């Protein structure tokens, strides 16, 4: 149909129209042009997509928005037979290069006999008022634009846009055909064009936004400007939008969507300063009796522990190379009881509960806390487990023990387990962990307790802990027993 009144203006409700509605006799079928070219043509930016190959035996749309486009076409067409012929032409690859610009989509479609027809489909552009509302909505919900940049159009984007008075997808009667064949309704040529456009929309929903009046570059630039302006306004005291501003509903953004939107969001603020120490927890001493099973004093310990952990996590996050560090090991309940006691230094009765809850006696918990402070999970494992080293690790350990001291200074060592060696004549012990590090221990009141941090060298581990070994010349292993530096 011709003379539809599409005059390039816009009306008061925020909607405008496409270009002049006339034919461009200079248009031709140029398959060598591809998506991505964006010349400023008559009526604004333009993208040209090369002719798509035939599509036998497949649907023209798989995305929900592509299907919505076809529904708008099929619900409005008066002659279903004409659309069937259009689908056939599209399947056979008879639609040439598709030109997309604000308000208008154009292609040359060839009949089976080779006759070429220029076919256009017109769709109302959004006016400036509608785009303003859309952009404000998008800045509030960065995940929407992140999805578009990932070539997705989530349903809630369309719903939120409609809530702002902006209809993105066409409805019944919104796709206006024009064709050189002279048909006044959708003909096979305009139908074939619409089916082919559905394939383009599947790959890139920005095609729809271009027809509505904004190309991708301009849209992203305007979002960047608005995001920056809002950040500046908030920094000047304007304050961020609240849940009430968004209609009473607080909305979150998926982390993946926020990351994808990095190119359109303002720069992050400077990291916060790290406090010198963890903050004091609140007092939970209630005026009334707490419910059964709730211990206010225990809750205060947990609150204090949360503050300690939060400060430590902040320090770790700001440390150079944090992104390349492995994820922390997830603690068992038994290990976490030791960490909690080490971090919070609880009162005696709380410590007794932690010991009981982790299957330890009170003295065992104190020893475990000492180990934790020397080396965390690794030190705690060495205290409580005597793991069998592999053959290679055991051979390296023997070599280290044999060469760690100068002649005449080496202590006599007796194997006390798969990974433990005791100095003969002294209450001193070396323990080997699974990473080949040595941990010094001393015996106090009949119990082995950690005496210092680990070291790659066994002699340095003992010396660093200030342990005198009562060294004798040569090891028992050197005297030929073969049992002293072995693992049993």
């Amino acid at each position: 149909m011709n003379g539809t009144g599409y005059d390039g203006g816009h009306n008061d409700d925020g909607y405008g129209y496409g270009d002049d509605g006339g034919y461009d006799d200079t248009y031709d079928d140029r398959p060598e042009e591809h998506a991505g070219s964006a010349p400023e043509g008559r009526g604004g930016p333009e993208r040209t997509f090369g002719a798509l190959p035939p599509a036998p035996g497949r649907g023209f749309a798989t995305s929900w928005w592509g299907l919505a486009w076809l529904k708008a076409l099929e619900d409005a067409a008066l002659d279903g037979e004409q659309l069937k012929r259009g689908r056939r032409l599209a399947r056979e690859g008879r639609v040439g290069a598709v030109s997309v610009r604000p308000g208008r989509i154009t292609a040359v479609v060839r009949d089976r006999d080779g006759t070429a027809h220029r076919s256009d489909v017109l769709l109302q552009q959004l006016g400036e008022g509608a785009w303003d509302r859309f952009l404000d909505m998008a800045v509030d919900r960065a995940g929407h634009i992140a999805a578009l940049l990932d070539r997705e159009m989530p349903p809630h984007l369309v719903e939120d846009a409609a809530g702002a008075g902006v209809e993105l997808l066409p409805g019944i009667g919104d796709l206006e055909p024009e064709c050189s064949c002279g048909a006044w309704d959708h003909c096979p040529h305009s139908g074939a064009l619409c089916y082919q456009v559905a394939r383009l929309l599947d790959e890139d929903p920005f095609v729809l936004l271009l027809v509505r009046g904004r190309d991708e570059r301009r849209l992203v630039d305007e979002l960047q400007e608005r995001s920056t302006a809002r950040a500046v306004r908030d920094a000047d005291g304007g304050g961020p939008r609240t849940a009430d501003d968004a209609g009473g509903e607080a909305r979150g953004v998926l982390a993946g969507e926020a990351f994808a939107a990095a190119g359109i969001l303002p720069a992050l603020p400077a990291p916060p300063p790290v406090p010198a120490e963890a903050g004091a927890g609140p007092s939970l001493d209630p005026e009334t009796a707490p419910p059964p099973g709730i211990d206010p004093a225990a809750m205060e310990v947990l609150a204090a522990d949360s503050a300690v952990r939060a400060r430590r996590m902040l320090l770790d996050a700001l440390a150079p190379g944090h992104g390349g560090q492995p994820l922390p090991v997830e603690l068992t309940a038994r290990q976490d009881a030791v960490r909690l006691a080490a971090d919070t230094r609880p009162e005696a009765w709380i410590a007794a509960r932690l010991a009981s809850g982790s299957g330890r006696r009170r003295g065992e918990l104190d020893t475990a806390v000492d180990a934790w402070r020397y080396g965390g999970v690794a030190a705690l494992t060495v205290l409580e487990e005597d793991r069998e080293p592999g053959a290679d690790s055991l051979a390296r350990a023997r070599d280290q023990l044999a060469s760690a001291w100068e002649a005449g200074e080496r202590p006599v060592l007796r194997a006390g387990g798969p990974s433990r060696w005791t100095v003969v004549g002294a209450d001193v012990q070396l323990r080997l962990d699974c990473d080949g590090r040595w941990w010094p221990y001393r015996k106090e009141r009949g119990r082995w307790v950690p005496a210092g941090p680990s070291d790659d060298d066994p002699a340095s581990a003992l010396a660093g802990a200030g342990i005198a070994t009562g060294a004798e010349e040569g090891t028992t292993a050197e005297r030929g027993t073969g049992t002293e530096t072995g693992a049993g």
Side-chain angles (χ1 to χ4, degrees), residues 269-318:
V274 180
E277 59 184 16
S283 174
L284 301 180
D285 186 16
E287 297 180 357
T288 58
I294 301 297
D295 188 332
M299 297 297 291
E300 288 180 355
V301 172
L302 293 177
D305 177 59
S306 297
V308 170
R309 295 178 67 187
R311 180 177 181 276
R312 183 178 298 133
M313 292 171 67
L314 181 58
L315 286 169
D316 290 343
L318 297 178

Side-chain angles (χ1 to χ4, degrees), residues 374 427-428 440-442 444 450-453 458-470:
Y374 281 127
D427 290 335
V428 178
Y441 273 72
R442 65 161 56 94
E444 296 180 356
S460 298
L462 291 177
I467 295 177
T469 63

Side-chain angles (χ1 to χ4, degrees), residues 426-446:
D427 290 335
V428 178
Q429 189 178 82
L430 281 169
R431 297 188 179 186
L432 181 69
D433 70 13
C434 60
D435 294 323
R437 295 173 298 183
W438 297 92
W439 298 81
Y441 273 72
R442 65 161 56 94
K443 184 176 284 188
E444 296 180 356
R445 297 189 294 276

Side-chain angles (χ1 to χ4, degrees), residues 21 65 79 120 154 215 219 270 292 379 421 457 471:
W65 59 90
D79 190 342
D120 295 76
D215 68 308
L219 185 62
W421 287 265
D457 177 66

Side-chain angles (χ1 to χ4, degrees), residues 1-2 78 176-179 181-187:
M1 66 187 280
N2 206 351
L78 299 178
E176 291 282 350
E178 289 183 352
C179 187
C181 73
W184 60 273
D185 187 27
H186 278 288
C187 61

Side-chain angles (χ1 to χ4, degrees), residues 256-391:
E257 293 182 354
F259 181 79
I264 64 172
L265 296 176
L268 293 174
V274 180
E277 59 184 16
S283 174
L284 301 180
D285 186 16
E287 297 180 357
T288 58
I294 301 297
D295 188 332
M299 297 297 291
E300 288 180 355
V301 172
L302 293 177
D305 177 59
S306 297
V308 170
R309 295 178 67 187
R311 180 177 181 276
R312 183 178 298 133
M313 292 171 67
L314 181 58
L315 286 169
D316 290 343
L318 297 178
H322 170 71
Q325 296 300 314
L327 293 175
V329 177
E330 184 174 353
L331 302 181
T332 64
R334 181 176 169 84
Q335 293 170 335
D336 199 48
V338 177
R339 180 206 60 77
L340 183 60
D343 285 348
T344 60
R345 293 177 169 81
E347 297 180 17
W349 69 275
I350 292 287
R353 288 180 59 177
L354 288 173
S356 175
S358 62
R360 298 179 176 91
R361 293 189 292 272
R362 173 60 194 277
E364 292 173 337
L365 178 64
D366 291 341
T367 301
V369 167
D370 289 340
W372 183 273
R373 290 173 179 161
Y374 281 127
V377 174
L380 186 60
T381 301
V382 168
L383 169 69
E384 299 187 326
E385 300 179 19
D386 187 10
R387 296 183 177 180
E388 179 77 45

Side-chain angles (χ1 to χ4, degrees), residues 168-260:
L168 292 178
L169 290 168
I172 297 177
D174 288 346
L175 300 177
E176 291 282 350
E178 289 183 352
C179 187
S180 62
C181 73
W184 60 273
D185 187 27
H186 278 288
C187 61
H189 314 108
S190 65
L193 174 56
C194 285
Y195 282 110
Q196 210 72 317
V197 169
R199 294 174 66 183
L200 299 178
L201 288 173
D202 255 12
E203 299 296 326
D204 188 355
F206 274 106
V207 171
L208 175 63
L209 297 179
L210 176 55
V211 182
R212 286 298 200 185
R214 286 290 192 279
D215 68 308
E216 180 177 355
R217 178 179 299 176
R218 180 178 175 185
L219 185 62
V220 171
D221 287 348
E222 290 180 337
L223 285 167
Q224 176 69 62
E225 291 174 3
R226 287 175 185 246
S227 297
T228 301
R230 176 162 296 179
V232 171
R233 184 170 64 251
D234 293 345
D236 290 341
R241 285 170 61 92
T242 65
D244 291 338
D245 298 328
E249 180 183 358
R251 295 176 179 269
V253 178
L254 294 176
E257 293 182 354
F259 181 79

